Amino acid sequence: MSPENPFLNHEKKEQERQAKRDAVLLAAVKIFNEQGFHSTSLDDVAKSLGISKPTIYHYLGNKEQVLLTCVEIGLQQLIEAAKDVEKQSISGFEKLRRFLFLYGCRNLDDFGRCVILTHDDALSKEGLVKFKALKRVVHEALLNIIRDAQLDQSINAEHDPKILAATLTGAINWSAKWYNPNGVLSKEETIQKMVDILTYGFEKK
Amino acid sequence: MSPENPFLNHEKKEQERQAKRDAVLLAAVKIFNEQGFHSTSLDDVAKSLGISKPTIYHYLGNKEQVLLTCVEIGLQQLIEAAKDVEKQSISGFEKLRRFLFLYGCRNLDDFGRCVILTHDDALSKEGLVKFKALKRVVHEALLNIIRDAQLDQSINAEHDPKILAATLTGAINWSAKWYNPNGVLSKEETIQKMVDILTYGFEKK
């Protein structure tokens, strides 16, 4: 038998730690989304995993820190989506459509929904600063995509970028409140239909 | 001097009672919108008017009843807007645009914002039933406007009416969260720009 490699061992332990942390986050985000942050206690989360509350503290911290990690994951997904889209060699119009599609799909994931369903009053002052800073990164990325699309003249240049951004994201954000995962349409089908409406409007051509 | 007319007197008293009730509702809705329902006590509302809490109970009932009356006013405004629009002799497309404009403007009023900012967990089971029933009336009115506009072929018939309705109202609802009354654009200007985006899309034509 070969001697145990201490480096591999360390890596394995780190993977295990990460897997446990991820499991706590996934359990927490589902319960936050279902019951609301105020009505959820870390005991509920611990119980759902058959672990103790101190185990959660060990991996993630207190309830607000768990929530903050969840919304950070949700917002980081949107930041990644913007980066992916910006790299593509397509028109500004197509970039905007693709970003909205990805934004909408992430938005209906557990962590994305948590971002939408988290109200400012769930967070402490410091937590709110972090939450808003990340949201601002997403907002700025969207504004850049819109401005580029206006510059390459692939979208209508007369719209105020800020109002356009707020209209588009508002429509999609709200879907985290009404989308029914047990309905006929998949998340992707639903978001695609919304993006088509937002892109072309409802005017008859 | 003519003898006092007891009927006029009764009417005057009723007007006074109504004015007091309205003042309590307006004070309450502003504080709910600013602080959130959970963080507001009827003491805050009473204090802002220089009255006692039992006076509020007398006119409106407990905190949930006050909130319910506020959201009922907000939703009733939307139901009236739909009725007004339905009476007009214009195309279905124009009806939909006008309804969205009115919906958006009401939505940025004190009572309209309260509807958007009220989360289901603020209400008791019975309260939630009332709240949802009124929202359904608005939703059905919008669906009727959309279906009529598809029937008279003034809007694109390929959109699923439910997804179209959810996309349009979602975009507008969200504005109750981001609209800044101290900004450059008035409520009406902001909503008009949003309705134009929603109507025509952002595609370059």
mmCIF file of all heavy atoms in Angstrom, chain A residues 44-86:
data_model
loop_
_atom_site.group_PDB
_atom_site.id
_atom_site.type_symbol
_atom_site.label_atom_id
_atom_site.label_comp_id
_atom_site.label_asym_id
_atom_site.label_seq_id
_atom_site.Cartn_x
_atom_site.Cartn_y
_atom_site.Cartn_z
ATOM 1 N N ASP A 44 -34.754 25.356 12.638
ATOM 2 C CA ASP A 44 -35.484 24.714 11.529
ATOM 3 C C ASP A 44 -34.489 24.147 10.520
ATOM 4 O O ASP A 44 -34.653 23.023 10.019
ATOM 5 C CB ASP A 44 -36.371 25.730 10.778
ATOM 6 C CG ASP A 44 -37.406 26.392 11.683
ATOM 7 O OD1 ASP A 44 -37.828 25.743 12.651
ATOM 8 O OD2 ASP A 44 -37.770 27.563 11.413
ATOM 9 N N VAL A 45 -33.480 24.970 10.199
ATOM 10 C CA VAL A 45 -32.490 24.554 9.204
ATOM 11 C C VAL A 45 -31.709 23.349 9.728
ATOM 12 O O VAL A 45 -31.527 22.347 9.020
ATOM 13 C CB VAL A 45 -31.527 25.719 8.865
ATOM 14 C CG1 VAL A 45 -30.494 25.273 7.836
ATOM 15 C CG2 VAL A 45 -32.306 26.932 8.362
ATOM 16 N N ALA A 46 -31.258 23.460 10.979
ATOM 17 C CA ALA A 46 -30.474 22.371 11.583
ATOM 18 C C ALA A 46 -31.294 21.074 11.589
ATOM 19 O O ALA A 46 -30.810 20.011 11.192
ATOM 20 C CB ALA A 46 -30.057 22.759 12.997
ATOM 21 N N LYS A 47 -32.558 21.210 12.025
ATOM 22 C CA LYS A 47 -33.420 20.025 12.117
ATOM 23 C C LYS A 47 -33.576 19.366 10.740
ATOM 24 O O LYS A 47 -33.525 18.144 10.622
ATOM 25 C CB LYS A 47 -34.793 20.449 12.666
ATOM 26 C CG LYS A 47 -35.438 19.385 13.542
ATOM 27 C CD LYS A 47 -36.788 19.827 14.086
ATOM 28 C CE LYS A 47 -36.688 20.727 15.303
ATOM 29 N NZ LYS A 47 -38.001 21.267 15.727
ATOM 30 N N SER A 48 -33.743 20.170 9.703
ATOM 31 C CA SER A 48 -33.975 19.604 8.367
ATOM 32 C C SER A 48 -32.766 18.787 7.892
ATOM 33 O O SER A 48 -32.884 17.957 6.993
ATOM 34 C CB SER A 48 -34.307 20.713 7.368
ATOM 35 O OG SER A 48 -33.122 21.356 6.943
ATOM 36 N N LEU A 49 -31.581 19.052 8.467
ATOM 37 C CA LEU A 49 -30.372 18.312 8.068
ATOM 38 C C LEU A 49 -29.951 17.293 9.110
ATOM 39 O O LEU A 49 -28.956 16.588 8.925
ATOM 40 C CB LEU A 49 -29.213 19.300 7.857
ATOM 41 C CG LEU A 49 -29.308 20.219 6.635
ATOM 42 C CD1 LEU A 49 -28.293 21.342 6.747
ATOM 43 C CD2 LEU A 49 -29.076 19.434 5.353
ATOM 44 N N GLY A 50 -30.698 17.247 10.227
ATOM 45 C CA GLY A 50 -30.317 16.341 11.313
ATOM 46 C C GLY A 50 -28.996 16.719 11.958
ATOM 47 O O GLY A 50 -28.218 15.853 12.374
ATOM 48 N N ILE A 51 -28.719 18.025 12.018
ATOM 49 C CA ILE A 51 -27.478 18.481 12.668
ATOM 50 C C ILE A 51 -27.844 19.455 13.787
ATOM 51 O O ILE A 51 -29.029 19.744 14.009
ATOM 52 C CB ILE A 51 -26.518 19.173 11.663
ATOM 53 C CG1 ILE A 51 -27.189 20.419 11.042
ATOM 54 C CG2 ILE A 51 -26.087 18.201 10.582
ATOM 55 C CD1 ILE A 51 -26.288 21.191 10.088
ATOM 56 N N SER A 52 -26.835 19.957 14.497
ATOM 57 C CA SER A 52 -27.118 20.887 15.601
ATOM 58 C C SER A 52 -26.881 22.324 15.123
ATOM 59 O O SER A 52 -26.174 22.563 14.130
ATOM 60 C CB SER A 52 -26.195 20.585 16.774
ATOM 61 O OG SER A 52 -24.891 21.012 16.445
ATOM 62 N N LYS A 53 -27.493 23.270 15.845
ATOM 63 C CA LYS A 53 -27.338 24.672 15.474
ATOM 64 C C LYS A 53 -25.872 25.112 15.538
ATOM 65 O O LYS A 53 -25.409 25.820 14.626
ATOM 66 C CB LYS A 53 -28.227 25.537 16.366
ATOM 67 C CG LYS A 53 -28.567 26.857 15.734
ATOM 68 C CD LYS A 53 -29.851 27.466 16.264
ATOM 69 C CE LYS A 53 -29.717 27.966 17.676
ATOM 70 N NZ LYS A 53 -30.896 28.785 18.075
ATOM 71 N N PRO A 54 -25.097 24.705 16.561
ATOM 72 C CA PRO A 54 -23.683 25.100 16.580
ATOM 73 C C PRO A 54 -22.907 24.657 15.337
ATOM 74 O O PRO A 54 -21.948 25.316 14.931
ATOM 75 C CB PRO A 54 -23.146 24.421 17.847
ATOM 76 C CG PRO A 54 -24.339 24.305 18.737
ATOM 77 C CD PRO A 54 -25.494 24.053 17.828
ATOM 78 N N THR A 55 -23.349 23.560 14.720
ATOM 79 C CA THR A 55 -22.685 23.128 13.477
ATOM 80 C C THR A 55 -22.877 24.198 12.393
ATOM 81 O O THR A 55 -21.957 24.498 11.626
ATOM 82 C CB THR A 55 -23.265 21.774 13.001
ATOM 83 O OG1 THR A 55 -23.210 20.858 14.097
ATOM 84 C CG2 THR A 55 -22.474 21.216 11.836
ATOM 85 N N ILE A 56 -24.062 24.760 12.355
ATOM 86 C CA ILE A 56 -24.309 25.830 11.368
ATOM 87 C C ILE A 56 -23.446 27.045 11.697
ATOM 88 O O ILE A 56 -22.822 27.634 10.806
ATOM 89 C CB ILE A 56 -25.804 26.212 11.337
ATOM 90 C CG1 ILE A 56 -26.646 24.991 10.932
ATOM 91 C CG2 ILE A 56 -26.030 27.369 10.360
ATOM 92 C CD1 ILE A 56 -28.112 25.285 10.773
ATOM 93 N N TYR A 57 -23.415 27.408 12.973
ATOM 94 C CA TYR A 57 -22.563 28.544 13.371
ATOM 95 C C TYR A 57 -21.133 28.295 12.918
ATOM 96 O O TYR A 57 -20.453 29.185 12.420
ATOM 97 C CB TYR A 57 -22.566 28.732 14.902
ATOM 98 C CG TYR A 57 -23.874 29.217 15.462
ATOM 99 C CD1 TYR A 57 -24.360 28.738 16.676
ATOM 100 C CD2 TYR A 57 -24.623 30.197 14.796
ATOM 101 C CE1 TYR A 57 -25.557 29.184 17.211
ATOM 102 C CE2 TYR A 57 -25.824 30.644 15.315
ATOM 103 C CZ TYR A 57 -26.285 30.135 16.523
ATOM 104 O OH TYR A 57 -27.470 30.582 17.043
ATOM 105 N N HIS A 58 -20.681 27.048 13.099
ATOM 106 C CA HIS A 58 -19.306 26.709 12.752
ATOM 107 C C HIS A 58 -19.038 26.925 11.258
ATOM 108 O O HIS A 58 -18.020 27.493 10.866
ATOM 109 C CB HIS A 58 -19.044 25.247 13.143
ATOM 110 C CG HIS A 58 -17.747 24.719 12.611
ATOM 111 N ND1 HIS A 58 -16.525 25.129 13.089
ATOM 112 C CD2 HIS A 58 -17.479 23.843 11.608
ATOM 113 C CE1 HIS A 58 -15.564 24.516 12.428
ATOM 114 N NE2 HIS A 58 -16.114 23.729 11.514
ATOM 115 N N TYR A 59 -19.973 26.489 10.419
ATOM 116 C CA TYR A 59 -19.723 26.589 8.977
ATOM 117 C C TYR A 59 -20.032 27.972 8.411
ATOM 118 O O TYR A 59 -19.384 28.410 7.468
ATOM 119 C CB TYR A 59 -20.532 25.528 8.209
ATOM 120 C CG TYR A 59 -19.945 24.147 8.348
ATOM 121 C CD1 TYR A 59 -20.549 23.183 9.148
ATOM 122 C CD2 TYR A 59 -18.760 23.825 7.702
ATOM 123 C CE1 TYR A 59 -19.989 21.929 9.292
ATOM 124 C CE2 TYR A 59 -18.191 22.572 7.837
ATOM 125 C CZ TYR A 59 -18.804 21.624 8.632
ATOM 126 O OH TYR A 59 -18.238 20.401 8.777
ATOM 127 N N LEU A 60 -21.016 28.644 8.972
ATOM 128 C CA LEU A 60 -21.483 29.865 8.303
ATOM 129 C C LEU A 60 -21.695 31.083 9.201
ATOM 130 O O LEU A 60 -21.674 32.213 8.721
ATOM 131 C CB LEU A 60 -22.799 29.564 7.566
ATOM 132 C CG LEU A 60 -22.608 28.758 6.297
ATOM 133 C CD1 LEU A 60 -23.843 27.949 6.000
ATOM 134 C CD2 LEU A 60 -22.280 29.666 5.130
ATOM 135 N N GLY A 61 -21.944 30.867 10.465
ATOM 136 C CA GLY A 61 -22.204 32.008 11.336
ATOM 137 C C GLY A 61 -23.669 32.081 11.726
ATOM 138 O O GLY A 61 -24.387 31.082 11.639
ATOM 139 N N ASN A 62 -24.104 33.258 12.131
ATOM 140 C CA ASN A 62 -25.493 33.409 12.609
ATOM 141 C C ASN A 62 -26.499 33.512 11.451
ATOM 142 O O ASN A 62 -26.113 33.455 10.276
ATOM 143 C CB ASN A 62 -25.593 34.603 13.559
ATOM 144 C CG ASN A 62 -25.368 35.926 12.834
ATOM 145 O OD1 ASN A 62 -25.481 36.008 11.613
ATOM 146 N ND2 ASN A 62 -25.051 36.959 13.579
ATOM 147 N N LYS A 63 -27.767 33.668 11.804
ATOM 148 C CA LYS A 63 -28.826 33.612 10.789
ATOM 149 C C LYS A 63 -28.630 34.673 9.711
ATOM 150 O O LYS A 63 -28.788 34.394 8.520
ATOM 151 C CB LYS A 63 -30.205 33.766 11.466
ATOM 152 C CG LYS A 63 -31.373 33.488 10.521
ATOM 153 C CD LYS A 63 -32.724 33.389 11.231
ATOM 154 C CE LYS A 63 -33.439 34.705 11.309
ATOM 155 N NZ LYS A 63 -34.902 34.617 11.483
ATOM 156 N N GLU A 64 -28.262 35.882 10.117
ATOM 157 C CA GLU A 64 -28.064 36.923 9.105
ATOM 158 C C GLU A 64 -26.889 36.572 8.192
ATOM 159 O O GLU A 64 -26.944 36.811 6.987
ATOM 160 C CB GLU A 64 -27.828 38.291 9.754
ATOM 161 C CG GLU A 64 -27.894 39.381 8.686
ATOM 162 C CD GLU A 64 -27.273 40.697 9.099
ATOM 163 O OE1 GLU A 64 -26.865 40.850 10.258
ATOM 164 O OE2 GLU A 64 -27.191 41.581 8.222
ATOM 165 N N GLN A 65 -25.840 36.004 8.786
ATOM 166 C CA GLN A 65 -24.689 35.635 7.949
ATOM 167 C C GLN A 65 -25.045 34.528 6.953
ATOM 168 O O GLN A 65 -24.575 34.526 5.820
ATOM 169 C CB GLN A 65 -23.510 35.234 8.845
ATOM 170 C CG GLN A 65 -22.899 36.451 9.532
ATOM 171 C CD GLN A 65 -21.959 36.097 10.673
ATOM 172 O OE1 GLN A 65 -22.251 35.213 11.486
ATOM 173 N NE2 GLN A 65 -20.834 36.775 10.743
ATOM 174 N N VAL A 66 -25.913 33.618 7.392
ATOM 175 C CA VAL A 66 -26.372 32.572 6.471
ATOM 176 C C VAL A 66 -27.159 33.213 5.324
ATOM 177 O O VAL A 66 -26.921 32.931 4.140
ATOM 178 C CB VAL A 66 -27.249 31.529 7.209
ATOM 179 C CG1 VAL A 66 -27.813 30.508 6.224
ATOM 180 C CG2 VAL A 66 -26.439 30.813 8.295
ATOM 181 N N LEU A 67 -28.064 34.130 5.676
ATOM 182 C CA LEU A 67 -28.854 34.808 4.634
ATOM 183 C C LEU A 67 -27.941 35.572 3.685
ATOM 184 O O LEU A 67 -28.094 35.502 2.458
ATOM 185 C CB LEU A 67 -29.868 35.769 5.274
ATOM 186 C CG LEU A 67 -30.719 36.565 4.276
ATOM 187 C CD1 LEU A 67 -31.686 35.659 3.533
ATOM 188 C CD2 LEU A 67 -31.499 37.687 4.953
ATOM 189 N N LEU A 68 -26.995 36.303 4.257
ATOM 190 C CA LEU A 68 -26.089 37.098 3.421
ATOM 191 C C LEU A 68 -25.314 36.210 2.450
ATOM 192 O O LEU A 68 -25.147 36.567 1.274
ATOM 193 C CB LEU A 68 -25.102 37.861 4.299
ATOM 194 C CG LEU A 68 -25.439 39.333 4.551
ATOM 195 C CD1 LEU A 68 -24.389 39.961 5.447
ATOM 196 C CD2 LEU A 68 -25.542 40.116 3.244
ATOM 197 N N THR A 69 -24.870 35.050 2.935
ATOM 198 C CA THR A 69 -24.145 34.139 2.039
ATOM 199 C C THR A 69 -25.071 33.666 0.914
ATOM 200 O O THR A 69 -24.655 33.573 -0.239
ATOM 201 C CB THR A 69 -23.572 32.942 2.828
ATOM 202 O OG1 THR A 69 -22.841 33.447 3.944
ATOM 203 C CG2 THR A 69 -22.647 32.107 1.970
ATOM 204 N N CYS A 70 -26.323 33.394 1.258
ATOM 205 C CA CYS A 70 -27.294 32.960 0.226
ATOM 206 C C CYS A 70 -27.489 34.043 -0.837
ATOM 207 O O CYS A 70 -27.458 33.757 -2.032
ATOM 208 C CB CYS A 70 -28.647 32.623 0.864
ATOM 209 S SG CYS A 70 -28.626 31.146 1.889
ATOM 210 N N VAL A 71 -27.704 35.281 -0.417
ATOM 211 C CA VAL A 71 -27.953 36.331 -1.417
ATOM 212 C C VAL A 71 -26.672 36.651 -2.187
ATOM 213 O O VAL A 71 -26.722 37.002 -3.375
ATOM 214 C CB VAL A 71 -28.603 37.611 -0.824
ATOM 215 C CG1 VAL A 71 -29.982 37.297 -0.261
ATOM 216 C CG2 VAL A 71 -27.732 38.289 0.207
ATOM 217 N N GLU A 72 -25.524 36.475 -1.532
ATOM 218 C CA GLU A 72 -24.264 36.682 -2.257
ATOM 219 C C GLU A 72 -24.120 35.663 -3.379
ATOM 220 O O GLU A 72 -23.715 36.007 -4.492
ATOM 221 C CB GLU A 72 -23.063 36.581 -1.302
ATOM 222 C CG GLU A 72 -22.776 37.890 -0.582
ATOM 223 C CD GLU A 72 -21.763 37.740 0.560
ATOM 224 O OE1 GLU A 72 -21.066 36.701 0.604
ATOM 225 O OE2 GLU A 72 -21.693 38.648 1.394
ATOM 226 N N ILE A 73 -24.482 34.415 -3.096
ATOM 227 C CA ILE A 73 -24.425 33.382 -4.142
ATOM 228 C C ILE A 73 -25.370 33.763 -5.280
ATOM 229 O O ILE A 73 -25.015 33.730 -6.459
ATOM 230 C CB ILE A 73 -24.802 31.996 -3.573
ATOM 231 C CG1 ILE A 73 -23.754 31.532 -2.568
ATOM 232 C CG2 ILE A 73 -24.957 30.967 -4.693
ATOM 233 C CD1 ILE A 73 -24.125 30.258 -1.814
ATOM 234 N N GLY A 74 -26.592 34.172 -4.910
ATOM 235 C CA GLY A 74 -27.587 34.554 -5.914
ATOM 236 C C GLY A 74 -27.096 35.702 -6.784
ATOM 237 O O GLY A 74 -27.230 35.669 -8.018
ATOM 238 N N LEU A 75 -26.521 36.718 -6.153
ATOM 239 C CA LEU A 75 -26.080 37.887 -6.917
ATOM 240 C C LEU A 75 -24.808 37.588 -7.710
ATOM 241 O O LEU A 75 -24.635 38.092 -8.829
ATOM 242 C CB LEU A 75 -25.896 39.081 -5.978
ATOM 243 C CG LEU A 75 -27.239 39.658 -5.498
ATOM 244 C CD1 LEU A 75 -27.063 40.525 -4.253
ATOM 245 C CD2 LEU A 75 -27.889 40.479 -6.611
ATOM 246 N N GLN A 76 -23.946 36.751 -7.147
ATOM 247 C CA GLN A 76 -22.723 36.388 -7.856
ATOM 248 C C GLN A 76 -23.053 35.668 -9.161
ATOM 249 O O GLN A 76 -22.390 35.872 -10.174
ATOM 250 C CB GLN A 76 -21.873 35.504 -6.928
ATOM 251 C CG GLN A 76 -20.388 35.540 -7.234
ATOM 252 C CD GLN A 76 -19.794 36.954 -7.170
ATOM 253 O OE1 GLN A 76 -19.950 37.653 -6.184
ATOM 254 N NE2 GLN A 76 -19.141 37.388 -8.256
ATOM 255 N N GLN A 77 -24.120 34.857 -9.142
ATOM 256 C CA GLN A 77 -24.563 34.166 -10.362
ATOM 257 C C GLN A 77 -24.926 35.174 -11.460
ATOM 258 O O GLN A 77 -24.681 34.933 -12.638
ATOM 259 C CB GLN A 77 -25.818 33.335 -10.066
ATOM 260 C CG GLN A 77 -25.598 32.141 -9.191
ATOM 261 C CD GLN A 77 -26.879 31.324 -8.967
ATOM 262 O OE1 GLN A 77 -26.794 30.139 -8.761
ATOM 263 N NE2 GLN A 77 -28.055 31.951 -9.000
ATOM 264 N N LEU A 78 -25.541 36.284 -11.042
ATOM 265 C CA LEU A 78 -25.952 37.296 -12.025
ATOM 266 C C LEU A 78 -24.731 38.038 -12.566
ATOM 267 O O LEU A 78 -24.668 38.380 -13.750
ATOM 268 C CB LEU A 78 -26.941 38.274 -11.394
ATOM 269 C CG LEU A 78 -28.215 37.652 -10.817
ATOM 270 C CD1 LEU A 78 -29.117 38.730 -10.230
ATOM 271 C CD2 LEU A 78 -28.968 36.876 -11.884
ATOM 272 N N ILE A 79 -23.759 38.279 -11.681
ATOM 273 C CA ILE A 79 -22.536 38.955 -12.109
ATOM 274 C C ILE A 79 -21.793 38.068 -13.118
ATOM 275 O O ILE A 79 -21.315 38.540 -14.156
ATOM 276 C CB ILE A 79 -21.655 39.282 -10.883
ATOM 277 C CG1 ILE A 79 -22.391 40.307 -9.982
ATOM 278 C CG2 ILE A 79 -20.292 39.814 -11.301
ATOM 279 C CD1 ILE A 79 -21.744 40.548 -8.626
ATOM 280 N N GLU A 80 -21.754 36.766 -12.842
ATOM 281 C CA GLU A 80 -21.112 35.830 -13.773
ATOM 282 C C GLU A 80 -21.840 35.817 -15.108
ATOM 283 O O GLU A 80 -21.212 35.766 -16.170
ATOM 284 C CB GLU A 80 -21.098 34.405 -13.181
ATOM 285 C CG GLU A 80 -20.205 34.224 -11.970
ATOM 286 C CD GLU A 80 -18.763 34.656 -12.211
ATOM 287 O OE1 GLU A 80 -18.249 34.359 -13.303
ATOM 288 O OE2 GLU A 80 -18.185 35.315 -11.323
ATOM 289 N N ALA A 81 -23.171 35.842 -15.052
ATOM 290 C CA ALA A 81 -23.964 35.841 -16.292
ATOM 291 C C ALA A 81 -23.613 37.055 -17.139
ATOM 292 O O ALA A 81 -23.436 36.957 -18.360
ATOM 293 C CB ALA A 81 -25.462 35.825 -15.963
ATOM 294 N N ALA A 82 -23.478 38.206 -16.508
ATOM 295 C CA ALA A 82 -23.135 39.426 -17.251
ATOM 296 C C ALA A 82 -21.749 39.286 -17.875
ATOM 297 O O ALA A 82 -21.542 39.658 -19.037
ATOM 298 C CB ALA A 82 -23.196 40.642 -16.328
ATOM 299 N N LYS A 83 -20.803 38.723 -17.121
ATOM 300 C CA LYS A 83 -19.437 38.554 -17.653
ATOM 301 C C LYS A 83 -19.446 37.614 -18.851
ATOM 302 O O LYS A 83 -18.803 37.876 -19.866
ATOM 303 C CB LYS A 83 -18.524 37.972 -16.565
ATOM 304 C CG LYS A 83 -18.040 39.032 -15.581
ATOM 305 C CD LYS A 83 -16.993 38.435 -14.641
ATOM 306 C CE LYS A 83 -16.708 39.378 -13.476
ATOM 307 N NZ LYS A 83 -16.177 38.656 -12.310
ATOM 308 N N ASP A 84 -20.173 36.508 -18.731
ATOM 309 C CA ASP A 84 -20.272 35.545 -19.835
ATOM 310 C C ASP A 84 -20.805 36.221 -21.087
ATOM 311 O O ASP A 84 -20.293 36.028 -22.190
ATOM 312 C CB ASP A 84 -21.250 34.415 -19.471
ATOM 313 C CG ASP A 84 -20.594 33.371 -18.584
ATOM 314 O OD1 ASP A 84 -19.397 33.521 -18.273
ATOM 315 O OD2 ASP A 84 -21.297 32.423 -18.185
ATOM 316 N N VAL A 85 -21.865 36.990 -20.907
ATOM 317 C CA VAL A 85 -22.534 37.611 -22.053
ATOM 318 C C VAL A 85 -21.627 38.659 -22.695
ATOM 319 O O VAL A 85 -21.548 38.763 -23.926
ATOM 320 C CB VAL A 85 -23.873 38.222 -21.595
ATOM 321 C CG1 VAL A 85 -24.385 39.216 -22.595
ATOM 322 C CG2 VAL A 85 -24.897 37.115 -21.352
ATOM 323 N N GLU A 86 -20.927 39.403 -21.845
ATOM 324 C CA GLU A 86 -20.091 40.484 -22.388
ATOM 325 C C GLU A 86 -18.970 39.954 -23.291
ATOM 326 O O GLU A 86 -18.520 40.652 -24.189
ATOM 327 C CB GLU A 86 -19.534 41.349 -21.260
ATOM 328 C CG GLU A 86 -20.558 42.425 -20.855
ATOM 329 C CD GLU A 86 -20.179 43.178 -19.592
ATOM 330 O OE1 GLU A 86 -19.124 42.873 -19.014
ATOM 331 O OE2 GLU A 86 -20.955 44.068 -19.191
#
